[in-house]
Amino acid sequence: MNNKITVILTLYKTPIKKLNNLNCYKKLPLIIFEQEGSIESKKKIKKSLKRDFKYFYSNKNIGLSRASNFLFKKVKTEYMLFTQPDIIIDNKSILNLAKIFKKNKYIIFVTPSISEKFENLRKKKIIYKNKIKAACMMCDVKKLKKIGFFDEDYFLYWEDIDLMKKVNSFKYKMVIVSNVFAKHMSSQSSENSLKTEYLRRSNFIYGELVFDYKHKKLRFVKIFRKILQNLIFFFFNMVKFQFKKSFINLSIIFGIFKFFLYYLKK
């Protein structure tokens, strides 16, 4: 079964110590895309992992959606595990996820129970869902090629929500397996810096507005209210010398203006 599964993941300023998490995929083919990567970075990763893997990189951050789609096109196996560097899951659990596809020919995604700590769940239960956590997701490659992976209009957030909505419009099913578990150390896949914080905050609101626009939920009253709220809090936090909070407010405002640029091009 190991030769039927390829693991793909994207790195962005991932701390070296977090790369140890990738050792849980040592029995599986691994393809990595690194945002703002380099040949030197590849050498550091290889030194840490002590295994072979395929490595691709971009000179600038092209966004999770584009990077994931690029990796998806490189997959030649029947199944693909889409995951993140802050996920920990053992090989037996990965294989158990892949076996679930045999239960129903319409299953396209299978996920484990994902939390910040490991749990012991006794009863095996396959739960059909309209929405799942995409942080660790086993995919049927053939089915996914039919509907397409992520919409590249999204940069970092909301692309998974959009994908789930697309799956629900088809006949395909998504399931969670209750006794297969993965640990997710949320927001630890990238270094903590102002640049990373800016990317997270600005692209979350940007993705939310793109999602609203694509699904005809966009309300400009909501947009202008968010701009006004964050402008007020920006100056308020500046007066109180809470510069990090002011930076967050500014990041959200820039994310909204990023959406305006997107909207004007449509």
Side-chain angles (χ1 to χ4, degrees):
M1 179 65 81
N2 280 323
N3 61 358
K4 292 185 177 182
I5 304 167
T6 298
V7 179
I8 69 166
L9 55 85
T10 298
L11 305 178
Y12 175 68
K13 298 186 181 300
T14 304
I16 290 296
K17 64 179 181 179
K18 292 300 175 187
L19 292 175
N20 291 330
N21 295 343
L22 274 58
N23 286 318
C24 58
Y25 311 118
K26 60 186 177 181
K27 294 183 179 181
L28 299 164
L30 174 64
I31 312 178
I32 294 172
F33 188 97
E34 186 172 25
Q35 312 279 18
E36 300 181 18
S38 65
I39 298 301
E40 287 302 313
S41 182
K42 178 185 179 181
K43 291 178 182 177
K44 290 179 182 178
I45 295 170
K46 190 163 187 176
K47 184 178 179 181
S48 176
L49 296 183
K50 298 181 176 62
R51 59 157 293 174
D52 291 328
F53 56 90
K54 292 183 179 180
Y55 176 88
F56 303 92
Y57 71 95
S58 58
N59 294 321
K60 64 177 183 178
N61 191 336
I62 64 172
L64 180 62
S65 296
R66 285 184 63 191
S68 300
N69 287 346
F70 176 88
L71 291 174
F72 176 52
K73 292 175 183 177
K74 302 295 179 183
V75 174
K76 305 299 181 185
T77 51
E78 187 174 354
Y79 304 116
M80 172 184 81
L81 183 69
F82 172 79
T83 187
Q84 298 178 8
D86 54 3
I87 288 285
I88 300 175
I89 184 171
D90 60 46
N91 191 70
K92 182 179 178 181
S93 296
I94 293 171
L95 297 182
N96 284 336
L97 291 178
K99 291 175 183 178
I100 300 300
F101 289 102
K102 305 300 180 184
K103 302 289 184 180
N104 187 321
K105 66 179 181 179
Y106 294 113
I107 295 175
I108 187 170
F109 298 142
V110 180
T111 64
S113 296
I114 300 174
S115 183
E116 293 186 359
K117 61 180 181 179
F118 287 112
E119 298 175 357
N120 292 317
L121 299 172
R122 296 179 180 178
K123 293 183 179 180
K124 182 175 182 180
K125 189 175 181 181
I126 300 173
I127 307 166
Y128 288 84
K129 288 282 189 176
N130 290 328
K131 186 188 296 184
I132 57 176
K133 293 181 179 179
C136 181
M137 182 171 70
M138 186 71 72
C139 313
D140 185 308
V141 172
K142 187 175 180 180
K143 294 186 183 80
L144 191 54
K145 284 181 178 178
K146 290 181 180 179
I147 70 170
F149 202 16
F150 291 137
D151 184 332
E152 295 184 5
D153 283 347
Y154 299 95
F155 189 84
L156 184 57
Y157 294 105
W158 291 83
E159 71 288 330
D160 54 338
I161 306 299
D162 186 85
L163 177 60
M164 305 304 164
K165 194 171 182 66
K166 181 166 60 174
V167 169
N168 288 324
S169 69
F170 284 81
K171 61 187 177 182
Y172 298 126
K173 306 295 182 182
M174 300 177 284
V175 301
I176 299 172
V177 188
S178 64
N179 73 327
V180 176
F181 194 79
K183 182 178 180 181
H184 188 195
M185 297 175 288
S186 302
S187 300
Q188 295 185 29
S189 59
S190 300
E191 66 180 20
N192 291 318
S193 65
L194 286 178
K195 183 177 181 180
T196 303
E197 187 70 27
Y198 168 78
L199 287 171
R200 287 173 178 161
R201 300 287 181 166
S202 63
N203 283 295
F204 185 86
I205 186 64
Y206 166 76
E208 180 182 353
L209 295 175
V210 170
F211 182 86
D212 286 349
Y213 169 74
K214 285 180 176 288
H215 299 285
K216 304 187 187 306
K217 295 180 179 180
L218 186 65
R219 294 187 299 115
F220 283 96
V221 171
K222 170 184 174 180
I223 297 174
F224 291 120
R225 184 172 65 244
K226 283 184 177 290
I227 292 174
L228 182 60
Q229 286 174 342
N230 281 281
L231 276 174
I232 291 171
F233 281 116
F234 169 77
F235 289 113
F236 176 76
N237 288 321
M238 286 293 286
V239 170
K240 294 185 67 176
F241 300 105
Q242 295 184 351
F243 299 121
K244 185 175 181 180
K245 290 183 178 180
S246 294
F247 181 79
I248 290 172
N249 297 134
L250 203 58
S251 298
I252 293 171
I253 292 170
F254 277 123
I256 294 172
F257 280 106
K258 179 180 177 180
F259 169 74
F260 278 134
L261 292 175
Y262 164 84
Y263 180 80
L264 292 171
K265 292 177 181 177
K266 293 297 180 177

